[in-house]
Amino acid sequence: VLATRPARLQTMREVIRLLAERHDITVETRVEMPAGASAFANWGTRTIVIPPIVGAETFATALHEIGHILAGRCTGRERRCFG
């Protein structure tokens, strides 16, 4: 795995910050997550909980969680409601 350059990491982090600001999403960064979760979103509080952005994979995880917030409230029948 190639190391991500510091400038690129800073850009990734800034993209997440700007998206969160634009869409009124709170971002919480955690090193440890609940069992079985690598990240998660809470639509009701418009909060995403993500690992620190250290490369492309964690950047993609953050974008994925933002997508859950932007997709709207879960009805309980979609796969995304179950993990």
Side-chain angles (χ1 to χ4, degrees), residues 72-83:
R73 184 175 297 280
C74 193
T75 65
R77 294 193 304 188
E78 297 98 354
R79 181 185 180 284
R80 67 189 176 95
C81 298
F82 304 105

Side-chain angles (χ1 to χ4, degrees), residues 37-58:
S38 59
F40 58 94
N42 181 322
W43 192 89
T45 62
R46 297 191 66 78
T47 300
I48 63 169
V49 180
I50 59 170
I53 296 173
V54 295
E57 185 175 322
T58 48

